[in-house]
Amino acid sequence: MEAKIGLIYGDGIGPEIVREGKKILSRVGAVYSHEFQYTEILMGGCSIDACGEPLTKEAVESAKAQDAVLMGSIGGDAAVSPWYKLPPEKRPEVGLLGIRKALNLFANLRPASLYPELKGACPLRADIADKGFDLLIMRELTGGLYFGERKTEERDGLIVATDTLVYNEEEIQRIAIRAFDVAMKRRKKVTSVDKANVLDSSRLWRKVVEEVAKDYPEVTLSHMLVDNCAMQLVKGPAQFDVVLTENMFGDILSDEASQITGSIGMLPSASLNDTKFGLYEPSGGSAPDIAGKGIANPIATILSAAMLLRYSLDLNQEADAVEEAVKKVLAEGYRTVDIAAFKEGVETKQVSTEEMGDCIAERIG
Ligand code: NAD
């Protein structure tokens, strides 16, 4: 197939890790006879330096013209970077919010899985970590409490602050469809998380999710209250496949899920809209403390590239091949410095960002 792929190198370790992501996509292209055409898109601090703003109209138009975009991360060290002396609306992170809005990216996918070789990084009890886990949080990204009306006012001499949590049935339906579609590509299980014992928005959420489920007879649906889900994630994460939830619950649960893997450099993510388009990026930031040293872990970006193949290009076999290659290099003992302490009985070899990319590329095809 032919596909247009945008590359946002970004700031800090961004360029180092996106180079490895591109290397993997190019290897997949060569092995499976696909033609990927790459376009570089500026965003974040590097766009401020080059164009005076974190995200230009041209950059948005360029992103819209792609089938998918692979992104590094943006931003710098706020204590020393001149970008953070600019007014808040001109800072690097505004680019990220701007592109999500411009592309209507309402579905945020955050997988969290524990590789047996990195079990030692998991902060959970050994008997729980031994079971492993492979789950994906599907978070609604453009509605709910973070986007509802808010105000602070004085009433009878008291300051009162109000936030509103609003969802309409269409917003719930489209994210639920995304969750069931993704479950069909995984273990066919959706846990919908809400607070239906208290919130009207959650009761509507549950009703709409149940309607959508009727179109996916192969997928098992269950409901869980958010407080219970927060507990179950640390008590028995192996029970989850796709966790579908609204914006604020997803914000909190996805960070909890990432922490139980214990390794930020390993976690990919995707943000999708209602077309096949997606923006794919590592869950971590631009890591200014290690930028330019050639030691960043590129695996989160490489796994984000695998998600791009799976969800935007429907290349499941190719995505599987990338994920298998990552598992192989870990089992063979290759480690970047951030995961070097986790050995699990294998002899480990410490490698650079570039060497890790090479090792994974060599094991594809
Ligand atoms: P961070 O994720 O960049 O770094 C936290 C720690 O994790 C650091 O010690 C870093 O070295 C390490 N780390 C992160 N990714 C790594 C990798 N791939 N390999 C090895 N180690 C890795 O978080 P922070 O320091 O809070 O933020 C730094 C900058 O990143 C800030 O400007 C922040 O706004 C930005 N940020 C951007 C995004 C994004 O682009 N989506 C997300 C989060 C933070």
Coordinates of all heavy atoms in Angstrom, one line a residue, residues 13 71 73-76 84 93 96 264-265 281 284-290 296-297 338, ligand 1:
I13 N 14.4 14.9 23.5 CA 14.7 13.6 22.9 C 13.9 13.3 21.6 O 14.1 12.3 20.9 CB 14.6 12.4 23.9 CG1 13.1 12.3 24.4 CG2 15.6 12.5 25.0 CD1 12.8 11.0 25.2
M71 N 4.7 11.3 16.3 CA 5.3 12.5 16.9 C 6.2 12.1 18.0 O 6.0 11.0 18.7 CB 4.1 13.2 17.5 CG 4.5 14.5 18.1 SD 3.0 15.4 18.7 CE 3.3 15.4 20.4
S73 N 8.1 14.3 21.2 CA 7.5 15.0 22.3 C 8.0 16.4 22.2 O 9.0 16.7 21.6 CB 7.8 14.3 23.6 OG 9.1 13.8 23.6
I74 N 7.2 17.3 22.9 CA 7.6 18.7 22.7 C 7.8 19.3 24.1 O 7.3 18.8 25.1 CB 6.5 19.5 22.0 CG1 5.1 19.1 22.6 CG2 6.5 19.1 20.5 CD1 4.3 20.3 22.8
G75 N 8.4 20.5 24.1 CA 8.7 21.2 25.4 C 10.1 21.1 25.9 O 10.9 20.3 25.3
G76 N 10.4 21.9 26.8 CA 11.8 21.9 27.4 C 11.8 22.0 28.9 O 10.7 21.8 29.5
Y84 N 9.7 29.3 28.0 CA 8.8 29.5 29.1 C 8.8 30.9 29.7 O 8.2 31.2 30.7 CB 9.1 28.4 30.2 CG 8.8 27.0 29.6 CD1 9.8 26.3 29.0 CD2 7.5 26.5 29.6 CE1 9.5 25.1 28.3 CE2 7.2 25.3 29.0 CZ 8.2 24.6 28.4 OH 8.0 23.4 27.7
E93 N 3.6 23.7 24.6 CA 2.5 22.7 24.9 C 1.2 23.2 24.2 O 0.4 22.3 23.9 CB 2.3 22.6 26.4 CG 3.3 21.8 27.1 CD 4.7 22.5 27.3 OE1 4.7 23.7 27.1 OE2 5.7 21.8 27.6
L96 N 0.4 21.2 21.1 CA -0.2 19.9 21.3 C -1.7 20.0 21.4 O -2.4 19.3 20.7 CB 0.5 19.3 22.5 CG 0.2 17.8 22.8 CD1 0.7 17.0 21.6 CD2 0.9 17.3 24.0
I264 N 8.5 4.4 31.8 CA 7.9 5.4 31.0 C 8.4 5.3 29.5 O 7.7 5.6 28.6 CB 8.2 6.8 31.6 CG1 7.5 7.9 30.8 CG2 9.7 7.2 31.6 CD1 6.1 8.2 31.3
G265 N 9.6 4.9 29.3 CA 10.2 4.8 27.9 C 9.6 3.7 27.1 O 10.0 3.5 25.9
E281 N 2.2 8.9 19.5 CA 3.3 9.5 20.3 C 3.6 8.7 21.6 O 2.7 8.0 22.1 CB 3.0 10.9 20.7 CG 1.7 11.0 21.5 CD 1.4 12.4 21.9 OE1 2.3 13.1 22.4 OE2 0.2 12.8 21.8
G284 N 5.6 9.5 27.4 CA 6.5 10.4 28.1 C 6.7 11.7 27.5 O 6.2 12.0 26.4
G285 N 7.4 12.6 28.1 CA 7.7 13.9 27.6 C 9.0 14.0 26.9 O 9.5 13.0 26.4
S286 N 9.5 15.2 26.7 CA 10.7 15.5 25.9 C 12.0 15.2 26.6 O 13.1 15.3 26.1 CB 10.7 16.9 25.4 OG 10.7 17.8 26.4
A287 N 11.9 14.8 27.9 CA 13.1 14.4 28.7 C 14.3 15.3 28.5 O 15.4 14.8 28.1 CB 13.4 12.9 28.4
P288 N 14.2 16.6 28.7 CA 15.4 17.5 28.5 C 16.6 17.1 29.2 O 17.7 17.3 28.8 CB 14.9 18.9 28.9 CG 13.5 18.7 29.5 CD 13.1 17.3 29.3
D289 N 16.5 16.3 30.4 CA 17.6 15.9 31.1 C 18.6 14.9 30.4 O 19.7 14.8 30.7 CB 17.2 15.3 32.5 CG 16.2 14.2 32.4 OD1 15.4 14.1 31.4 OD2 16.1 13.3 33.3
I290 N 18.0 14.2 29.4 CA 18.9 13.3 28.7 C 19.0 13.6 27.2 O 19.6 12.8 26.4 CB 18.4 11.8 28.9 CG1 16.9 11.6 28.5 CG2 18.6 11.4 30.3 CD1 16.5 10.2 28.3
A296 N 18.2 7.8 25.1 CA 16.7 7.7 25.3 C 16.3 6.4 24.8 O 16.8 5.8 23.9 CB 16.0 8.8 24.6
N297 N 15.2 5.9 25.5 CA 14.6 4.6 25.1 C 13.7 4.9 23.9 O 12.7 5.6 24.1 CB 13.9 4.0 26.2 CG 13.4 2.6 26.0 OD1 13.3 2.2 24.8 ND2 13.0 1.9 27.0
D338 N 17.7 3.3 30.8 CA 16.5 3.4 31.8 C 16.0 2.1 32.2 O 15.3 2.0 33.2 CB 15.4 4.3 31.1 CG 15.0 3.7 29.8 OD1 15.8 3.3 28.9 OD2 13.7 3.5 29.6
Ligands
NAD1 P1 9.4 13.5 30.9 O1 8.5 12.4 30.6 O2 10.0 14.2 29.8 O3 10.6 13.0 31.8 C1 10.4 12.3 33.1 C2 11.6 11.4 33.4 O4 11.5 10.2 32.5 C3 13.0 12.0 33.0 O5 13.9 11.5 34.0 C4 13.3 11.5 31.7 O6 14.7 11.4 31.4 C5 12.6 10.1 31.7 N1 12.2 9.7 30.3 C6 11.1 10.1 29.6 N2 11.1 9.5 28.4 C7 12.2 8.7 28.3 C8 12.7 7.8 27.4 N3 12.1 7.7 26.2 N4 13.8 7.1 27.6 C9 14.4 7.2 28.8 N5 14.0 8.1 29.8 C10 12.9 8.8 29.6 O7 8.6 14.5 31.9 P2 9.0 16.0 32.4 O8 10.4 16.1 32.7 O9 8.0 16.3 33.4 O10 8.7 16.9 31.2 C11 9.7 17.4 30.3 C12 9.1 18.2 29.2 O11 8.2 17.4 28.4 C13 8.2 19.4 29.7 O12 8.4 20.5 28.9 C14 6.8 18.9 29.5 O13 5.8 19.9 29.3 C15 7.0 18.0 28.2 N6 5.9 17.0 28.0 C16 5.5 16.8 26.7 C17 4.6 15.8 26.4 C18 4.2 15.6 25.0 O14 4.9 16.1 24.1 N7 3.1 14.9 24.8 C19 4.1 15.0 27.5 C20 4.6 15.2 28.8 C21 5.5 16.2 29.0

